[in-house]
Amino acid sequence: MADAILVVNAGSSSIKFSVFVERAGTPELALRGHIEGLYTRAHFVAKDAAGKTASEKTWDAGTKLDHEGAVEYLAAFLRSELAELRLAGVGHRVVHGGLEYTKPVRVDAGVLAALEKFNPLAPLHQPNNLKPIRLLLERRPELPQVACFDTSFHRTQPPVAQRFALPDELHEAGVRRYGFHGLSYEYIASVLPQHDAKAAAGRAVVLHLGNGASMCAMEAGKSVASTMGFTAVDGLPMGTRCGSIDPGVILYLMDERGMDARAIEKLIYNQSGLLGVSGISSDMRTLLASKEPRAQLAVDLYLYRIRRELGSLAAALGGLDAIVFTAGIGENSAAIRERVCGDAAWLGVKLDADANKKGGPRISTAGSRVSVWVIPTNEELMIARHTRALLGAAAPAAVVSA
Ligand code: ADP
């Protein structure tokens, strides 16, 4: 009987999952899917490794499935679907590991309580990430669970990169730059040596451009700086998040517009970024296809911020050997990559236009001083690998009934 690892990424209204099966010592994707609309109209879909739909279900409008219902449905589905497999453990994506968790951890009640203390640091994500962990701990305490954090990869950053220029008391209380998208960056760092050994041992900037977007400066595969800070709203403009803004704007909104914390949260997380500037869409595809001046302005601003952050991260590294594009926009938009690379000509970037149109992996010319790559990220595989490693070869395996 082969071992399986379930990877879970629970958000506020959806649970994404993947099942990896151990083959020749490495986890291989067998199944992936999601349940969306947990508090509106729930929809479940599971696809096999080739992307073919294996199962699908839509609940009646008005049925609030919630996280508990979704975990129960998923457990029953996996029980029948994976009858031939042994569930060795569950790996969870957890946004915040604070300063303590510099690597993944096996979760018990004590660890869960420690992770709940980080809820105020990521109120929109952390409580939802932890819900399935709590449910499984209660119902299946013998099933090994591992939490993998988006912050861990950045704990190698030097102290100045993690510091705000605020009084020490606040820094000690945890008001500092944590950085996010760490599982994506860790995956890229793990495969970059196969593409470019020199860059992997040197200085690289990785652009994770998805709905959420950030950039990370790496030296010899370790994070030294990133655009996201205390929260995942910092840095680049994103689909609906504003990215860096003058903190004085927040004070102005409070004093002059009478906005409270919740109203500002909604503004900066859900109504800003590409959507806010364009007034049309948070989806880069829609904006690139639009002739509306505001859509073009949103794209121009997105690229302008990337251009400035790239200069800033190259300065933090003291030079640049490689650029890597990843995530939805980075992996799929040749137009955005072309403009980012054009803006980076001063750093020694020369784009190979044909290779870029084909999607890489290498999209810079042979003579480019900085090599440029398109590498699809795989956060789920990173979690599966961590989970496997932490369970160890002799981990107690629970018979499937997730
Ligand atoms: P998430 O951050 O939710 O994981 P993804 O990494 O899947 O998101 O990125 C989603 C984004 O990728 C979408 O908002 C979409 O704008 C963008 N995207 C996907 N394909 C393309 C494309 N061909 N051109 C431009 N943007 C794209």
Side-chain angles (χ1 to χ4, degrees):
M1 217 183 220
D3 276 356
I5 287 168
L6 172 64
V7 172
V8 175
N9 180 357
S12 57
S13 66
S14 73
I15 295 182
K16 294 185 192 148
F17 70 94
S18 317
V19 176
F20 288 84
V21 177
E22 194 91 339
R23 296 205 204 285
T26 41
E28 238 177 54
L29 183 71
L31 203 65
R32 72 190 309 176
H34 60 247
I35 306 186
E36 283 179 345
L38 298 186
Y39 294 86
T40 50
R41 185 171 195 186
H43 176 69
F44 163 79
V45 66
K47 296 186 175 180
D48 65 17
K52 195 165 149 268
T53 301
S55 179
E56 204 167 6
K57 177 179 162 82
T58 304
W59 279 260
D60 291 337
T63 314
K64 284 203 173 61
L65 192 62
D66 74 22
H67 282 77
E68 195 168 342
V71 169
E72 267 167 25
Y73 182 83
L74 204 53
F77 168 74
L78 293 174
R79 245 194 313 271
S80 66
E81 193 70 19
L82 309 180
E84 302 298 307
L85 299 169
R86 215 159 45 146
L87 188 62
V90 185
H92 299 267
R93 181 176 182 178
V94 177
V95 69
H96 225 298
L99 296 178
E100 284 105 308
Y101 296 100
T102 55
K103 47 186 200 273
V105 63
R106 188 141 159 187
V107 189
D108 58 17
V111 169
L112 182 61
L115 298 181
E116 279 170 344
K117 293 214 179 82
F118 303 137
N119 283 355
L121 295 178
L124 301 182
H125 294 99
Q126 190 85 347
N128 295 310
N129 298 159
L130 300 181
K131 270 180 196 162
I133 303 185
R134 172 168 294 288
L135 284 167
L136 287 174
L137 264 184
E138 281 164 13
R139 287 175 198 181
R140 293 291 311 280
E142 76 288 1
L143 183 65
Q145 296 194 73
V146 170
C148 302
F149 306 100
D150 271 312
T151 49
S152 296
F153 185 69
H154 300 294
R155 298 284 61 75
T156 51
Q157 290 179 7
V160 286
Q162 301 192 46
R163 179 80 202 218
F164 288 119
L166 287 170
D168 206 49
E169 184 270 316
L170 284 168
H171 177 72
E172 288 307 322
V175 183
R176 40 177 99 199
R177 298 181 59 88
Y178 292 96
F180 298 88
H181 287 139
L183 292 157
S184 173
Y185 294 127
E186 189 183 7
Y187 175 77
I188 298 296
S190 77
V191 295
L192 190 56
Q194 296 160 23
H195 295 286
D196 187 340
K198 183 173 155 269
R203 300 158 298 185
V205 170
V206 183
L207 291 83
H208 177 110
L209 307 178
N211 278 319
S214 71
M215 294 163 67
C216 177
M218 289 182 197
E219 198 164 357
K222 295 204 164 29
S223 172
V224 296
S226 63
T227 58
M228 279 180 172
F230 181 60
T231 66
V233 77
D234 197 13
L236 299 176
M238 310 175 208
T240 62
R241 289 173 242 169
C242 63
S244 305
I245 53 169
D246 178 345
V249 173
I250 305 291
L251 299 176
Y252 171 86
L253 295 174
M254 292 165 77
D255 288 341
E256 300 300 321
R257 296 288 187 100
M259 290 173 79
D260 64 10
R262 295 289 75 77
I264 293 174
E265 179 178 84
K266 202 167 159 197
L267 174 75
I268 64 177
Y269 277 92
N270 304 119
Q271 300 171 334
S272 298
L274 295 174
L275 175 66
V277 177
S278 70
I280 295 172
S281 174
S282 64
D283 193 313
M284 185 57 89
R285 284 165 293 201
T286 309
L287 300 182
L288 288 171
S290 171
K291 295 265 178 297
E292 286 286 326
R294 286 203 300 164
Q296 290 175 22
L297 173 65
V299 176
D300 288 348
L301 177 55
Y302 185 78
L303 288 160
Y304 174 74
R305 294 302 319 179
I306 291 176
R307 174 186 188 141
R308 289 194 42 182
E309 293 292 353
L310 185 59
S312 166
L313 294 174
L317 287 165
L320 191 62
D321 301 307
I323 293 174
V324 180
F325 289 93
T326 196
I329 298 172
E331 291 167 27
N332 296 301
S333 180
I336 292 291
R337 292 194 302 260
E338 185 181 334
R339 289 181 64 181
V340 170
C341 290
D343 287 347
W346 67 280
L347 282 163
V349 171
K350 289 201 180 101
L351 186 73
D352 178 334
D354 284 344
N356 183 42
K357 286 202 182 80
K358 289 189 191 120
R362 184 175 173 133
I363 60 168
S364 51
T365 62
S368 182
R369 190 149 48 79
V370 174
S371 67
V372 187
W373 301 89
V374 180
I375 304 179
T377 194
N378 200 337
E379 290 149 299
E380 292 83 13
L381 178 60
M382 205 62 237
I383 295 170
R385 282 184 190 161
H386 279 310
T387 305
R388 179 72 267 171
L390 223 77
L391 299 181
V399 173
V400 166
S401 53

